[in-house]
């Protein structure tokens, strides 16, 4: 009886030994065939994705997809966060957004979330967000000077504009407060003071693609200052005098405008405003750009002009005009590989219905066919 057990155990050990040798020599063979190290295993063959490319954040300083630098409590390879301005009643919409971000990307990277509100967040809201992520989540309130009317605004004139407006969000006072905050104050909030980059997120959006690299490292490694995804034209009644105000600024400060700028994207051959802009509900930004002297001077100039309230200047055209004036094309990145939906508009990378890491229908994600996106690709 004992001898049978010994024989059976010997056979089992022999089988294990044969399997071990097979895996060992198999790994050596495929590592030689595909140029892998042979020490990271067979699966490294299929790991040669964008994540491994230095351009997309790979290399020794990237942290890698499983590196400890991406642990929830660890220091990240880039000082960055996902940032949203929301209200307590946005909980469901924001939970949907965060669920997709975690599944598509941040579950592997654990960059923190910073959520801002003009009112205190409820405990229900905080719990509902923290349930979805291992990453650090911080909640903050807006500072009084960043939300509301500056002292030089004629509030009667502002009210008359709201009452007579015939465009989307035209009657909203708080929407104008939001546009002013996103244009000139979000990067100054104390919770963002230690960040080098931010990725703006919104409630009720969709991310169609698995992102297998670190967009923040992509920005850093390539010297990009601004990243965008959708570029429509702005509705003319909301920006009736914005281009005039911008031209006045450029005439006053020609020394701030570099020669290799992007102004031809926002003005046509006759010098007229194209109203092209980057839709800022998706933007990834090197915050040194918004903190720069020239950006602050431009915002102050526009803020004094009053167009946030006497019209309905949005943060998207203001960010875009600043990009066009102060940056070159090599400093701006088009994230056309990230499928994205925001109510009313969508971007779907070509071929995503049949293959690839995105699942969407390009016929429904038509933002890459906008005239402004085409204009960008031709530059």
């Amino acid at each position: 009886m004992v001898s049978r057990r010994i024989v059976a155990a010997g056979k089992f050990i022999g089988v294990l030994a044969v399997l071990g040798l097979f895996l060992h020599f198999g790994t050596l063979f495929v590592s030689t065939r595909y140029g892998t190290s042979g020490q990271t295993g067979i699966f490294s063959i299929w790991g040669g994705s964008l994540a491994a490319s230095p351009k997309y954040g790979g290399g020794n300083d990237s942290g890698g997809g499983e590196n400890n630098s991406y642990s929830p409590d660890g220091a990240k390879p880039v000082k960055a966060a996902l940032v949203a301005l929301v209200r307590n009643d946005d909980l469901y919409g924001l939970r949907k957004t965060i669920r997709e971000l975690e599944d598509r990307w941040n579950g592997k990277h654990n960059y923190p979330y910073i959520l801002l509100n003009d009112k205190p967040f409820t405990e229900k809201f905080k719990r509902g967000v923290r349930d979805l992520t291992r990453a650090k989540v911080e909640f903050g309130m807006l500072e009084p000077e960043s939300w509301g009317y500056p002292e030089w605004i004629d509030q009667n004139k502002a009210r008359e504009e709201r009452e007579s407006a015939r465009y989307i969000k035209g009657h909203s006072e708080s929407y104008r407060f939001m546009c002013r905050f996103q244009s000139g104050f979000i990067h100054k909030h104390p919770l963002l003071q230690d960040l080098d980059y931010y990725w703006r997120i919104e409630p009720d959006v969709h991310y169609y693609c698995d992102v297998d690299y670190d967009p923040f490292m992509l920005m850093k490694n390539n010297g990009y200052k601004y990243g965008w995804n959708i570029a429509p034209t702005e509705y003319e009644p909301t920006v009736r005098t914005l281009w005039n105000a911008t031209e006045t600024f450029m005439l006053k400060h020609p020394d701030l405008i570099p020669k290799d700028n992007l102004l031809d994207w926002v003005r046509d051959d006759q010098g007229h405003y194209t109203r092209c802009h980057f839709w800022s509900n998706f933007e990834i930004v090197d915050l040194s750009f918004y903190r720069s002297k020239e950006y602050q001077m431009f915002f102050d100039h526009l803020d004094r002009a009053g167009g946030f309230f006497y019209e309905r200047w949005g943060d998207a055209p203001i960010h875009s005009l600043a990009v066009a004036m102060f940056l070159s094309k090599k400093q701006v990145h088009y994230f056309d590989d990230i499928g994205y939906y925001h109510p009313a508009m969508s971007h779907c990378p070509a071929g995503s219905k049949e293959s690839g890491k995105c699942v969407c229908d390009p016929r429904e994600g038509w933002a890459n066919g906008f005239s402004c996106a085409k204009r960008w690709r031709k530059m």
Side-chain angles (χ1 to χ4, degrees), residues 271-286:
H272 301 141
Y273 184 28
T274 63
R275 292 180 281 116
C276 285
H277 67 286
F278 306 119
W279 224 24
S280 57
N281 49 71
F282 179 109
E283 62 176 16
I284 303 177
V285 186
D286 179 341

Side-chain angles (χ1 to χ4, degrees), residues 48-110:
S49 61
L50 294 178
S53 166
K55 177 181 177 182
Y56 285 84
N60 294 331
D61 64 343
S62 73
E66 299 298 329
N67 190 289
N68 287 335
S69 62
Y70 285 115
S71 66
D73 298 320
K76 305 298 181 288
V78 181
K79 293 180 180 179
L82 299 112
V83 181
L85 173 63
V86 289
R87 289 178 166 169
N88 287 304
D89 57 8
D90 290 321
L91 176 57
Y92 178 51
L94 187 65
R95 276 174 56 83
K96 289 190 291 183
T97 294
I98 291 175
R99 178 71 277 152
E100 291 197 21
L101 277 168
E102 290 293 303
D103 292 344
R104 295 299 200 181
W105 176 70
N106 201 43
K108 296 175 290 188
H109 293 80
N110 297 296

Side-chain angles (χ1 to χ4, degrees), residues 177-287:
F177 293 162
M178 181 276 294
C179 290
R180 181 173 179 262
F181 172 78
Q182 297 280 19
S183 297
F185 295 95
I186 189 168
H187 52 281
K188 299 178 182 178
H189 193 279
L191 289 180
L192 277 72
Q193 65 181 358
D194 294 328
L195 298 185
D196 294 329
Y197 297 84
Y198 95 143
W199 181 342
R200 178 171 161 182
I201 64 174
E202 298 270 335
D204 294 305
V205 301
H206 296 297
Y207 297 89
Y208 295 135
C209 311
D210 283 344
V211 180
D212 64 352
Y213 63 93
D214 184 340
F216 293 124
M217 286 298 294
L218 172 70
M219 297 285 289
K220 178 181 177 180
N221 287 350
N222 294 280
Y224 298 138
K225 297 292 185 182
Y226 191 88
W228 63 281
N229 180 269
I230 293 177
T233 53
E234 184 59 291
Y235 189 46
E236 193 277 335
T238 67
V239 289
R240 301 186 297 273
T241 64
L242 177 57
W243 180 242
N244 291 339
T246 301
E247 287 187 312
T248 299
F249 176 83
M250 291 190 289
L251 288 173
K252 287 182 178 179
H253 305 285
D255 55 306
L256 298 179
I257 316 298
K259 290 183 178 180
D260 57 341
N261 58 62
L262 291 164
L263 284 169
D264 286 342
W265 188 62
V266 295
R267 66 184 177 195
D268 61 22
D269 295 340
Q270 288 73 47
H272 301 141
Y273 184 28
T274 63
R275 292 180 281 116
C276 285
H277 67 286
F278 306 119
W279 224 24
S280 57
N281 49 71
F282 179 109
E283 62 176 16
I284 303 177
V285 186
D286 179 341
L287 290 172

